[in-house]
Each structure stands twice: as structure tokens, then as C-alpha cells.
Amino acid sequence: MFVYADNAATAKMRACALRAYEETAKNFYGNPSSLHSCGQRAKEVLEDCRARVAHILGAQPREIVFTSGGSEADNQAILSAARFGAKKGKKTIVTSAIEHHAVLHPLETLEKEGFRVVLLPVGEKGIVDPKDVAAVLDESVCLCSVMLANNEIGTIQPVKEIAALCKEKHILFHTDAVQAVGHIPVNVKEIGCDYLSVSAHKFGGPRGVGVLYARTGVPLSPLIEGGAQERGKRAGTEDLPAVAAMTVALEEAISEMPAAGKKLTVLRDELIEGLSSIPHSALNGDKEKRLPGNVSFCFEGIEGESLLLLLDDKGVCASSGSACTSGSLDPSHVLLAIGRVHDVAHGSLRLTLGMENTEEEIKYLLKVIPEVVEYLRGFSPVWRDLKEGKRQYIL
Amino acid sequence: MSLYSEKVMDHFRNPRNVGVIEDADGVGEVGNAKCGDIMKMYIKVRDGILVDVKFETFGCGSAIASSSMATEMIKGKPISEALTLTNKAVAEALDGLPAYKMHCSVLAEQAVQAAILDYYKKNNIPYDGSQFKCEHCAHDGEEE
């Protein structure tokens, strides 16, 4: 059996998106910046897509900037707000300890340039407490960036409350909504955010395209210069086929969201319940306040990469926060932030479900995962020490 | 996955000499759980020959494959030869490892040495300390 359970990495492109991609590339090949009718027809498609995406997000079309994806959107929002803050002498940025690297890495760069970065804790449930945010928002803060939903453990953050706190103190608020858009309701007005990042390939659009929502009036400087595209905020000829494909994928994701939410929550909870019966294992992140398709576990006594490789042999595509899968020495910062110690964080597994996953596939996962975990524990010296009482169980 | 060579995947999927030697003459454990790799090597010695070798590993695909390959390379060999096993030889026998996985082959080399050192110490056999690159690391696994 083949089971694709890595939808949070990239979801399969929707048929409607593939069609839109091909048709747009074929029929609207003109450059939207060209004056001739061929270019202007392409421009019309571009602006139509912008209006449709804006409508779904609750934004104005002029507040939508098409980017190369979520990482670019995160980078642009953060650097724009930071530059603006620096001019006013505000050089503190508040963010959570579980952000995606597309947020954390530009912040590390800013730290080297003299900014102060405050990392908010998330507790063992993996959720930021707005009280912790309130406690650190002072005069020196120019930006607060907290993700809407976490990419590893799927936890949903109280961004509405955090945005309100920021607004009160005239602090810009950005949210990385890459994992949320297309999966749970997201409306920029309801959240009250100043910036919001979107990536198309997480909801069945193509890779390499995304959106930065930037509220009218907020500072926004281009990362890429060299043309007047996107109102001068993002140079480069627009990837119109990708934008058109993203737009229809988003519309379809929104229309099937109620059904998908129900279906995925059932499959997710079945998977969580089944995996919980593996001894000395634990779910990562809050059980309720998490994305409908996200299942993240730690299994004591084994290492995540070997688990992934063996699951791949059995037709299961999944991911892990293990250090060995990332090429770094440390396991996932997200798992460490929720209090998993290194030994345990190395043995993590993330399964992210999509609409194409079936009940039979869940049953298959619940058959093969315990088998593989048991097999690996069978020759793990750590597991032996745990069994023989030479080492204390953590989970 | 094409991250690893066919050889690595073969030793990972079908590890040789997996398990425990209950009455081992020497046991070496290197690495630590914090870093995500622990290798435990068991040896049985007769007349200076490693007549049996087994291993247990907590770690990634290349750590398991490196342990497996290392046991194959020293089993049936004289201790003197096993002591010359280098991480490079293990990695080469596996048709190479990705650069950031080379430490797995280092662990395999150290695990072999730690097991032999343990054998020497248990039997009060005098040894040349300079032969052991990792005397200090033989007990890393017991910390933390």
C-alpha cells in the first residue's frame, strides 16, 4: 500500500490547479507589464486572481502581493517592519520559540545587526500564552510575529488575542499562516493582523508561489528590486500560471473546508488514539487546538530517520523532527520548545493527512508504525537500558 | 531514498550481526542519546581472534549501516587487525556516506575500539594506549 502522509510538506496539486496552470500558460502568455492587448489580457487575469485571493482572505486587492512562496512572504514582512522600526529607534522583535525557520533565520540575521529578539515560550501544549506576549510588549518593540498554526505539531495559536494586544500598543503584527490557509478559516480582518504569509503548495496549489498580505498603510519594502510589478513591492515578471493555479486551488480548498475538516479530524483522532497504544510514546502538542490533519508523536528509544526510511520501504511517506533528517546536530527546535528532551525529540514522527487519505490507509499506518517501532527498539541499546531499568523512561 | 548508497540501504535494511552476546568478552558503548546516536558493540575472543561480534544501535540509517558493516569487517579477524579499522574504511566499504553522516562511521570505529579496550581491561591484558584513539570516549554513553 502507498500512503502519502506528508501533506504539510507539500500537498498534491489539485486537478483544477493543474488545469488552470496549463490553460493560463497557453492562453495568457503575454507579459502583464506589456502595453499590447496580449499583455493586457494577462494583466486582467492577474488582477482577477488578486481580487479573488483578497476576497477569500478578507483583504483589499491592493493589500495582496504575490511572492515566490511562504518563506519570501515571511522574510519580506519581517524585514520591512524591522527597517521601519529601526528608523524610529525601535529595535526589539517579539516572536515565538516554535516559528518556522523562514521567520527565525531572518530574525537571527537582524540580531547580528543589533536587533533584540524576544522568544515567547509555548509550554508543553505548544501554544503561546497571550499573557506572556502582553508582558514583553514595550516601547522598544517594532514587530511581533506569531504563526497561526505550527508546521510540525499543528498547534493553533491565539493570534487574534495577540494581534489585539499589539494593536493597543501600536506594534506591527505578522502571522505566518502557511499551514493554516486552506485548512482552517483565515480572515485578516477577523485576526486583525498587519501582515500574513501564505504558501500555495500547502493547499494543492503549485510550489514556488505564495502571498504576502500587507495591510494598507503598513511599511513594505521590496526584497527583490528591478521593476514596478506588484506596485513596486516585488520586482520580476509575475508567474501568472502559478498565480492562477493557486487561486483556483484556494477557492476549491475553501469550498471543501467544512467537509475536509470533519473527515480529517476523524482520521487524525483515530490515528492519535491508535499510536497512543504504543508503549512509551506521546503526542506532541495540544490534542484539541491543532490542525485537522496533523499527527505528531515521539517514540522513546528509537531515532526518527531510521523510522522514516523503514516506513518509506513500506510505502509510507512521512517526516520527522529528528536531527538526522535535517542535516543538523540538534533535533527540532519545536519539540525542544514543548519540553521534549533531546533523547526523546530524536524519535519523532509527523504524519499530515489530506483529503485523499482513506480509512484503509489509517488502518495500514496503525499496522506498520507499531511494527517498525518495535523492530527498531529490538536492537536499540537505549531501549534495552530502559527495559532493564538502567535508564529512566521519560515518556 | 537516494540520500544513501545501495550498500548503505542494504546494511540498514538487513543489518548483519545484530543482537547481544550474553557472555561477551568485551563490550563497548559510544555516542550518547542526546546526540541521537548510540552504538554498543559486543565481542567474543578466542586466541586473539574475534570469533563473534554483535551490535545494537540507536541511531539513523547510516549509524545502523555503519555498525553492521564494521562488524562484518572485523568478525573472524585478529584483534590486531580490528584495531586498525578506520572510519574511512567503513565509509568506503559502504560506497560512501553523505558528508554530514561521516560521524556515524567514526562511531563505528570507536565502538570497535571500545569493545576491545574493555576486553583488555577485564582480562588485565597490557595494551598500548596509543592504539586507542578514543579511550576517553568509551564511556560517553553512560553520561546524561
Side-chain angles (χ1 to χ4, degrees):
Chain A
M1 192 180 251
F2 176 77
V3 185
Y4 187 74
D6 203 14
N7 286 278
T10 286
K12 187 173 160 185
M13 209 161 140
R14 292 169 185 272
C16 66
L18 269 170
R19 261 197 319 275
Y21 191 96
E22 192 184 350
E23 281 167 16
T24 309
K26 198 160 66 185
N27 301 327
F28 300 96
Y29 51 83
N31 187 323
S33 300
S34 297
L35 202 62
H36 50 66
S37 54
C38 196
Q40 289 308 300
R41 277 199 297 276
K43 175 85 175 163
E44 273 171 36
V45 173
L46 181 69
E47 294 314 316
D48 175 56
C49 289
R50 195 185 310 281
R52 286 154 68 186
V53 169
H55 175 71
I56 286 173
L57 295 176
Q60 295 299 315
R62 56 177 290 149
E63 296 173 319
I64 299 298
V65 179
F66 292 123
T67 68
S68 68
S71 296
E72 185 187 326
D74 285 342
N75 273 259
Q76 190 170 3
I78 288 164
L79 296 174
S80 297
R83 274 181 200 153
F84 183 75
K87 274 189 223 159
K88 299 193 149 194
K90 294 175 184 241
K91 295 185 81 173
T92 301
I93 298 174
V94 174
T95 192
S96 86
I98 59 168
E99 294 300 308
H100 191 275
H101 286 135
V103 166
L104 294 178
H105 286 178
L107 291 181
E108 281 168 22
T109 303
L110 288 170
E111 249 179 336
K112 285 179 200 141
E113 293 171 12
F115 280 81
R116 189 169 74 98
V117 175
V118 178
L119 284 186
L120 299 161
V122 292
E124 60 177 20
K125 287 189 179 293
I127 295 174
V128 172
D129 184 343
K131 276 188 225 126
D132 291 332
V133 182
V136 296
L137 294 184
D138 61 31
E139 291 287 292
S140 72
V141 180
C142 61
L143 171 72
C144 175
S145 177
V146 175
M147 69 202 326
L148 213 163
N150 181 265
N151 49 308
E152 285 186 46
I153 58 174
T155 49
I156 297 167
Q157 307 300 320
V159 289
K160 202 175 159 180
E161 288 87 330
I162 299 170
L165 290 169
C166 291
K167 198 170 185 180
E168 224 172 80
K169 305 210 164 172
H170 307 289
I171 291 165
L172 292 166
F173 178 66
H174 164 251
T175 185
D176 173 348
V178 163
Q179 293 292 337
V181 171
H183 301 280
I184 55 173
V186 175
N187 182 298
V188 295
K189 290 284 172 300
E190 272 175 33
I191 297 169
C193 55
D194 296 301
Y195 306 94
L196 180 140
S197 308
V198 180
S199 170
H201 71 115
K202 308 296 189 186
F203 52 76
R207 285 160 282 197
V209 64
V211 170
L212 172 61
Y213 157 78
R215 190 174 59 76
T216 303
V218 300
L220 189 63
S221 43
L223 287 183
I224 300 172
E225 295 177 280
Q229 293 90 352
E230 301 298 293
R231 303 168 55 85
K233 302 303 181 191
R234 208 275 182 184
T237 302
E238 303 85 344
D239 188 348
L240 193 58
V243 167
M246 168 171 68
T247 304
V248 295
L250 181 58
E251 287 172 341
E252 191 176 270
I254 298 299
S255 71
E256 73 177 27
M257 192 187 287
K262 258 186 215 157
K263 178 188 164 171
L264 296 183
T265 303
V266 170
L267 295 181
R268 175 196 75 188
D269 291 345
E270 196 181 329
L271 200 48
I272 290 175
E273 203 191 316
L275 293 177
S276 299
S277 68
I278 295 177
H280 305 288
S281 66
L283 176 71
N284 296 315
D286 191 86
K287 196 161 182 278
E288 313 289 334
K289 288 179 189 148
R290 68 191 299 130
L291 290 169
N294 178 291
V295 176
S296 168
F297 262 80
C298 279
F299 303 107
E300 199 161 4
I302 62 166
E303 194 282 325
E305 190 212 71
S306 43
L307 177 61
L308 287 191
L309 291 170
L310 290 174
L311 286 176
D312 189 44
D313 279 352
K314 294 183 184 292
V316 176
C317 300
S319 74
S320 171
S322 140
C324 287
T325 57
S326 64
S328 83
L329 283 174
D330 284 320
S332 144
H333 64 287
V334 177
L335 298 176
L336 296 178
I338 62 168
R340 297 278 182 243
V341 297
H342 278 67
D343 314 33
V344 167
H346 285 296
S348 71
L349 176 70
R350 181 188 75 170
L351 301 156
T352 45
L353 308 173
M355 271 305 259
E356 290 199 1
N357 290 117
T358 63
E359 184 71 35
E360 289 70 46
E361 290 178 359
I362 301 301
K363 296 223 155 50
Y364 180 70
L365 290 175
L366 288 176
K367 180 180 145 333
V368 296
I369 295 168
E371 281 172 7
V372 173
V373 170
E374 199 185 327
Y375 166 75
L376 286 170
R377 281 176 172 175
F379 63 93
S380 158
V382 175
W383 186 248
R384 170 175 301 281
D385 285 353
L386 290 166
K387 268 195 319 188
E388 293 175 356
K390 290 178 192 158
R391 188 187 278 268
Q392 294 291 310
Y393 285 109
I394 297 162
L395 300 180
Chain B
M1 288 189 202
S2 54
L3 166 68
Y4 294 128
S5 69
E6 285 290 319
K7 261 279 181 44
V8 172
M9 287 310 290
D10 176 40
H11 275 263
F12 167 65
R13 289 185 179 119
N14 313 293
R16 280 63 145 176
N17 308 308
V18 176
V20 183
I21 300 175
E22 293 295 348
D23 57 342
D25 297 316
V27 181
E29 184 173 304
V30 296
N32 68 62
K34 197 180 172 200
C35 297
D37 291 301
I38 291 187
M39 276 182 207
K40 200 165 181 177
M41 201 69 79
Y42 302 82
I43 55 170
K44 195 86 194 143
V45 186
R46 282 290 166 278
D47 305 326
I49 307 281
L50 295 168
V51 290
D52 199 9
V53 183
K54 290 218 183 311
F55 81 92
E56 290 184 304
T57 291
F58 159 86
C60 58
S62 59
I64 292 170
S66 297
S67 334
S68 168
M69 180 55 88
T71 59
E72 240 187 9
M73 293 171 83
I74 61 166
K75 195 172 165 179
K77 300 276 162 59
I79 285 185
S80 55
E81 202 180 319
L83 280 174
T84 63
L85 180 80
T86 62
N87 80 294
K88 239 181 123 189
V90 173
E92 272 167 20
L94 288 167
D95 290 340
L97 286 172
Y100 69 101
K101 297 283 189 178
M102 281 306 282
H103 74 275
C104 293
S105 61
V106 174
L107 276 183
E109 174 193 316
Q110 291 178 344
V112 170
Q113 296 195 0
I116 294 171
L117 186 64
D118 182 55
Y119 164 72
Y120 281 168
K121 283 182 174 169
K122 272 182 185 157
N123 295 281
N124 295 315
I125 299 169
Y127 60 91
D128 173 7
S130 68
Q131 282 183 293
F132 297 94
K133 285 188 224 160
C134 73
E135 185 164 357
H136 64 282
C137 62
H139 297 286
D140 270 3
E142 287 163 20
E143 287 157 23
E144 294 197 334

